[in-house]
Amino acid sequence: MNRMMWVLFLGLLTSGMTQFATAGSSGTIHFYGAIVDGGCTFDTVNNKVTSKCESGGKTVTEVRAVNTQDPLNYSLPLSLGSVKTEHVNNDPHLAIMTVVYN
């Protein structure tokens, strides 16, 4: 789970937000819960988030565009959960993406 969340976090930083990543900051990230299934993997390229989810022998891939003005909220494929994006301090270039599995 840590690797998946770290990849997602780094991907978001590099998708149009690199100026904030290079500024440097410190903080603590807390993870809660447990993964009992493989879940999904996320990749970001050119302001797009690609989710690849596996469940019950099926694999589904979806691509979603990231818009800095409109936070990205959607359901994961195969009814595995949802993704919610919120801007931090109303900054359109800084956001937190939360993945919730059912």
Side-chain angles (χ1 to χ4, degrees):
M1 177 177 171
N2 288 343
R3 182 174 184 266
M4 177 181 62
M5 292 300 286
W6 185 246
V7 169
L8 178 61
F9 177 75
L10 288 177
L12 286 174
L13 286 177
T14 60
S15 65
M17 295 181 252
T18 55
Q19 67 274 19
F20 293 103
T22 59
S25 63
S26 63
T28 303
I29 299 173
H30 298 279
F31 296 97
Y32 301 96
I35 294 181
V36 295
D37 198 1
C40 302
T41 58
F42 297 88
D43 292 313
T44 56
V45 176
N46 299 327
N47 292 337
K48 294 182 189 220
V49 176
T50 302
S51 59
K52 182 178 179 183
C53 300
E54 298 180 27
S55 180
K58 294 181 181 180
T59 301
V60 177
T61 302
E62 288 185 350
V63 178
R64 306 271 181 166
V66 175
N67 180 347
T68 59
Q69 301 304 317
D70 186 25
L72 186 65
N73 300 307
Y74 63 94
S75 295
L76 290 172
L78 304 170
S79 300
L80 291 176
S82 62
V83 175
K84 179 180 178 183
T85 308
E86 298 175 276
H87 291 298
V88 176
N89 296 328
N90 295 321
D91 184 343
H93 298 287
L94 186 59
I96 295 174
M97 180 177 280
T98 304
V99 179
V100 177
Y101 290 100
N102 295 332

